[in-house]
Amino acid sequence: MRDFRAAATIPLRQRLWNPEARLAYLLLAPAVILLLGFMIYPVVYVFLISLFRTNKLAQLKEFAGLKNFVYQFTDKEFWQITARSLYWTAIAVAVKAVLGMIVALLLNVKYAGRKVARMLFIVPWASAVPISSILWRWVYHPEYGLLNATLKATGLWANPPTWLGMPLPAFTACIWVDIWIGIPFMALVFLAGMQAISEDLYESASLDGVNGLQKFFYITLPGIRHLVLIATLLSCLWTFNDFNTIYILTRGGPAGATDILITKLYKNAFEFLKFSPAAVMAVVTFFILTGLAIAYARIYFRQEQGQ
Amino acid sequence: MRKRILWILVLVLLLAGGLVWAQKAKVTFFWALYDGLTEEYRASLQDAFMAANPSIDVDIVPIQWDLMQEKMTTSVAGGQPPELCVIGTRWLLDLMSTDSVLEVDKVVSKKTLDNIAAGAMEAKIQGKLMGLPIAAGARIMTVNNDITRVVPKTMEELRAEAKRVSKPPQTYGLIMPGKKHTELTDFCYYLYAAGGDYFAKNADGSWGKAVFNNPAGVKALQFMVDMATKDKITQEGYLGLTRMDSHPIFYEGRAAYVMIGAWVESAMKQANSKFKAQYVQIPPFAGQKPASLIITDSIAIFKKARYTKEAGQFLDFFYQDQWKAKFDELVGFPPVTVSAAKLPQFQSPLYQALGQAAMTAKGWPLIEEWAEVSDIIWDANVKAFLGQMSPKAALDEAAAKVNRARGM
């Protein structure tokens, strides 16, 4: 306590600029410079681009105020794409969470070959997303694809759709690939949480005559609640920005039916060289994801305080 | 101690400065990976130039065509452009608007330029040659003679014959990609064959408002939709197949006709095609004159690059018949140099057909927003194929979007 009082009497300048503080600044400097150069500067520049007219090289040319935003916000297609981005994320994350939970429960049961099963489950997540997406593009190929060939050969579906060529099948096909890639992450995180729950709880519950479903809802789920929150938040951020899957499978087609903000943003910036609309989309994405992260953080910390 | 540190610093700076000064000139070339082009050729060109010019290094960087524009844009925007880059000639307008490209005749020798065919100089804009043509090819039609020997004189005849021979899924009448790919070639074949165009021509020669939704455009798209959905003579799952996905079906010998470019022969060779192919003109609609599409690519030289003079030396080397003719042969494009065009390997039926097509072919409209325009029209095509809109409604909607995007 005395130390704090003594520190408070030292002038601010001396507190911030003494040999110890200087060493701290020196040690922090590389990280701060990297952060400023590679994270803060691009974000600030994107905000600036959204307020300016630019040339084809993204150089600022003329201040436009909110005109770029107004142009986008009065475009029906922009709202369709934003809505699609939201339900793309909601559906994909929900399915990943449910299937991830089921897989985690299966991997948590003791049986021979469990380690091999765990390793195999990681494969989709451990593979590079572009490679997985290219593989799935071949699976969906209407002429030589494994999926349609199997559906026809087994008689399950005599006339399967052109998966990547029609709006609903294309959206379903894309979202399935995103889910397929994302399940292992969810499963592994949930599994890690499940393994940290004491066996004693399950044993005493069994003695009390609690069934499996009740154990899941009253022991497992509350025990991994925090991990579920964090994993779904991270998954939301990644899924909302899942460019690779959609771009490789459909490039946002057919007729824009699978375009989400990130793919449209890319097209505007790097195919049409229209950087201002792309920046507006990036800003909107930034606010949506920041809002999501804040909401999650509030829920998380409220729960922490409640404990 | 301080003095010693200072001396060391000065020495390091001098050494670094000396190293920079003594560094060899290095020409970086963003090299498009055309079908048929081999790694062996790229490496041998690079090595041969450096052996002939020991004071210059050249780095030929192979890049997928689909990624080229992005790679080039980010390099230029980042202030680190390559000396040379293969571009779609239509990109030049964007590059010129940012004053990024150098006039070719400032660094390439007169001898090389005099050897380029005048018809290939699409990159001559406002009297200045802003790109050196690397490839120029009109589109033609290839017929699988094992399926049919009929060479249609009109689109209507083509449709009738394709319908006659089509026995899906073993044999298709015609290959028609229905999934968006880099170029809007397919709609263009039918639009030009119907006597249509993309934009009205203003009095000053510039391109005005969209006209691809006029009767010629609607006729073209309706024709495509009918062949695909009513006659069902195109390859199965055409909506999910791009040009790259669908052309192999033709190379396999399972389709009677395909509208394609100069690479057809080398691609068929690579695919080990067994059937007899005949190269003919894309037919016009009845009552129209033949009009194919011609596409040119160029090499741009970037103003802000460090070694533009050396880049010019490299181009002079590359455009000798020994190298350029071999390049043309590999990628299958008709030569853009006068001397190579006389070589025996370019007198085959394929090159004769390409030469004939070039006589009446039209290029893309040179406008800055072409990439976006092309994307919008592709979407209109797909909406019509899917039956979401009639061809007329889809093209009208697209025309309105295009005019808005171009600020008209």
Side-chain angles (χ1 to χ4, degrees), chain B residues 7-143:
Chain B
W7 272 114
I8 291 170
L9 263 176
V10 167
L11 271 175
V12 167
L13 283 172
L14 279 173
L15 197 65
L19 279 175
V20 169
W21 181 77
Q23 200 181 33
K24 270 208 277 183
K26 187 179 178 188
V27 174
T28 304
F29 185 7
F30 286 180
W31 176 259
L33 281 175
Y34 289 103
D35 290 350
L37 210 50
T38 60
E39 168 57 22
E40 189 192 350
Y41 173 82
R42 186 199 67 80
S44 59
L45 170 63
Q46 188 172 279
D47 295 344
F49 176 76
M50 290 197 289
N53 299 271
S55 61
I56 307 172
D57 272 351
V58 64
D59 183 15
I60 303 178
V61 186
I63 295 169
Q64 290 285 346
W65 186 242
D66 277 3
L67 304 173
M68 184 61 94
Q69 195 173 14
E70 180 196 336
K71 173 90 177 157
M72 178 200 70
T73 307
T74 45
S75 306
V76 177
Q80 298 289 327
E83 273 69 22
L84 303 168
C85 178
V86 175
I87 60 164
T89 305
R90 60 213 166 274
W91 305 350
L92 271 174
L93 293 179
D94 289 335
L95 294 169
M96 285 171 72
S97 74
T98 51
D99 196 26
S100 303
V101 279
L102 191 70
E103 285 166 58
V104 169
D105 52 13
K106 296 221 163 126
V107 293
V108 174
S109 73
K110 189 170 177 305
K111 189 184 159 200
T112 301
L113 293 177
D114 286 348
N115 193 27
I116 306 278
M121 297 285 200
E122 199 192 356
K124 199 169 225 171
I125 299 165
Q126 292 149 11
K128 294 174 183 171
L129 187 63
M130 304 308 293
L132 188 66
I134 184 167
R139 295 298 163 91
I140 53 167
M141 191 163 75
T142 304
V143 187

Side-chain angles (χ1 to χ4, degrees), chain A residues 46-64:
Chain A
V46 164
F47 273 83
L48 273 178
I49 293 176
S50 73
L51 299 171
F52 278 78
R53 282 189 208 293
T54 59
N55 66 8
K56 303 280 181 181
L57 298 176
Q59 292 156 342
L60 309 180
K61 286 291 153 191
E62 184 192 333
F63 184 67

Side-chain angles (χ1 to χ4, degrees), chain A residues 55-57 71 74-75 141-144 152 162 165-167 249 251 254-256 266 270-274, chain B residues 66 70 73-74 76-77 94 98 172 179 236-237 239-241 249 252 254 368 371-372 375 379 382 388 404:
Chain A
N55 66 8
K56 303 280 181 181
L57 298 176
Y71 186 88
T74 52
D75 184 2
H141 194 287
E143 270 282 325
Y144 315 110
K152 282 180 194 171
T162 303
M166 300 166 97
L249 288 174
R251 298 189 85 147
Y266 175 87
F270 298 110
E271 287 183 6
F272 310 154
L273 306 179
K274 291 173 92 170
Chain B
D66 277 3
E70 180 196 336
T73 307
T74 45
V76 177
D94 289 335
T98 51
Y172 303 111
K179 187 178 174 191
E236 207 170 273
L239 279 169
L241 299 171
I249 299 169
E252 258 185 67
R254 291 174 54 211
E368 277 188 36
E372 188 175 6
D375 192 73
D379 281 350
V382 174
Q388 290 177 346
R404 186 176 184 230

